[in-house]
């Protein structure tokens, strides 16, 4: 059986599937795309996914283009340990509950804030207004507080005492906010401890997948310092 994974580790759901596949020991043929240079728009890739997005799997000719659907499918096809995506209807529904919730919460708000802080100037040729930043920051803070105080209120992981696919997806979305100079762990001890547990449960693949995130954080800080220095020079002229 052949399994190909098309991905770019700059993509949150790509990182989630990469970590998941590596952690559970599923062999796959890596098909790395570079979204920044437009690989997703190439005719060869659009034949695989007409929506020109990643991640995508091709499993013995069967194509699947949505990350959550892919994770559920892999759990069934490979008969993975039950904690990842339980077979029991109610336990499975609790995993689904978070995966459905995240679309308009964790994913939306963390990614929106990142877009405003980092990508807007590139794609819209303008800077976000203070009001825009404050609104999106507030929405993200509310979302992260809900994870801290509701989802992780009395559990080690989002669903219970064992890691599930929900935890990997949630963690990868939250990590994305770090590239917008935001620390999601600050004043959130439960969320911080949970992230550490996710990292430990998926080691070393979690850190491997997020190496590009850490690299870009350092690069963005260096750019910010250079920008500040140039402003100081200009102010003296």
């Amino acid at each position: 059986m052949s399994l190909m994974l098309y991905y770019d580790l700059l993509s949150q759901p790509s990182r989630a599937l990469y970590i998941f596949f590596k952690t559970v020991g599923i062999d796959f043929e890596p098909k790395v795309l570079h979204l920044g240079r437009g690989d997703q728009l190439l005719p060869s890739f659009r034949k695989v996914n007409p929506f020109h997005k990643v991640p995508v799997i091709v499993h013995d000719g069967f194509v699947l283009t949505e990350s959550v659907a892919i994770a559920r499918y892999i759990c069934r096809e490979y008969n993975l340990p039950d904690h990842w995506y339980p077979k029991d209807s109610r336990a499975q529904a609790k995993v689904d509950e978070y995966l459905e919730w995240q679309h308009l919460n964790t994913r939306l708000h963390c990614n929106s804030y990142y877009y405003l802080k980092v990508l807007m100037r590139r794609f819209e040729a303008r800077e976000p207004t203070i009001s825009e930043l404050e609104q999106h920051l507030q929405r993200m803070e509310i979302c992260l507080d809900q994870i801290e105080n509701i989802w992780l209120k009395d559990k080690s992981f989002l669903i219970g005492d064992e890691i599930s696919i929900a935890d990997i997806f949630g963690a990868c979305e939250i990590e994305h906010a770090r590239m917008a100079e935001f620390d999601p762990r600050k004043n959130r001890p439960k969320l911080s401890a949970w992230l550490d547990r996710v990292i430990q449960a998926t080691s070393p693949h979690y850190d491997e997948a997020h190496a590009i995130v850490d690299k870009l954080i350092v690069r963005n800080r260096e750019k910010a310092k250079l920008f500040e220095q140039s402003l100081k020079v200009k102010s003296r002229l």
Side-chain angles (χ1 to χ4, degrees):
M1 299 177 73
S2 65
L3 176 65
M4 293 182 287
L5 173 64
Y6 291 80
Y7 66 94
D8 181 341
L9 292 178
L10 274 177
S11 152
Q12 306 95 299
S14 286
R15 292 198 299 272
L17 288 185
Y18 179 90
I19 294 165
F20 178 48
F21 287 9
K22 289 280 190 175
T23 300
V24 298
I26 291 177
D27 290 328
F28 64 91
E29 181 181 347
K31 297 287 188 179
V32 180
L33 277 74
H34 298 279
L35 301 181
R37 69 186 186 197
D39 287 1
Q40 71 276 23
L41 302 175
L42 294 172
S44 57
F45 179 67
R46 295 188 71 162
K47 289 180 181 178
V48 179
N49 184 9
F51 298 112
H52 49 85
K53 293 183 178 181
V54 291
V56 179
I57 63 164
V58 180
H59 187 211
D60 290 338
F62 175 67
V63 180
L64 207 53
T65 64
E66 284 293 328
S67 58
V68 170
I70 291 169
R72 291 167 174 158
Y73 170 80
I74 291 296
C75 287
R76 294 191 300 268
E77 286 294 300
Y78 287 82
N79 195 28
L80 295 180
D82 209 50
H83 63 88
W84 289 110
Y85 190 59
K87 296 177 182 65
D88 175 79
S89 179
R90 291 190 176 184
Q92 186 180 107
K94 296 304 291 184
V95 177
D96 289 337
E97 183 178 34
Y98 174 79
L99 292 173
E100 300 299 338
W101 181 84
Q102 77 155 1
H103 292 302
L104 294 178
N105 291 278
T106 325
R107 178 161 177 74
L108 174 63
H109 299 312
C110 291
N111 196 52
S112 294
Y113 186 71
Y114 167 73
Y115 178 84
L116 256 69
K117 286 273 290 189
V118 179
L119 298 182
M120 177 176 276
R121 62 179 63 92
R122 175 180 175 184
F123 291 107
E124 298 184 28
R126 75 176 182 90
E127 296 287 336
T129 65
I130 293 176
S131 176
E132 286 175 324
L133 283 171
E134 288 178 345
Q135 287 177 12
H136 283 78
L137 176 61
Q138 183 180 34
R139 291 168 187 166
M140 182 173 64
E141 294 268 21
I142 290 172
C143 171
L144 295 174
D145 286 344
Q146 288 174 334
I147 292 175
E148 170 81 9
N149 299 316
I150 299 175
W151 289 101
L152 296 171
K153 179 181 179 180
D154 53 4
K155 301 186 295 294
S156 298
F157 293 95
L158 292 173
I159 310 305
D161 293 328
E162 292 185 279
I163 192 170
S164 73
I165 56 174
D167 296 287
I168 298 180
F169 278 102
C172 288
E173 295 295 341
I174 291 171
E175 291 280 10
H176 216 65
R178 293 197 297 119
M179 292 195 292
E181 300 176 61
F182 177 83
D183 182 4
R185 292 172 177 259
K186 187 177 181 180
N187 298 323
R188 296 185 181 91
K190 291 180 181 178
L191 185 148
S192 182
W194 162 71
L195 282 174
D196 288 339
R197 284 190 287 271
V198 174
I199 293 170
Q200 183 178 13
T202 59
S203 179
H205 313 298
Y206 190 97
D207 288 338
E208 179 184 335
H210 285 90
I212 190 170
V213 173
D214 297 328
K215 182 178 179 180
L216 287 173
I217 290 171
V218 173
R219 184 186 300 175
N220 289 339
R221 285 174 182 167
E222 291 173 349
K223 286 183 178 180
K225 287 181 180 179
L226 290 173
F227 181 68
E228 290 175 4
Q229 290 172 0
S230 67
L231 289 179
K232 290 179 181 179
V233 171
K234 288 179 180 179
S235 68
R236 296 193 193 107
L237 297 178

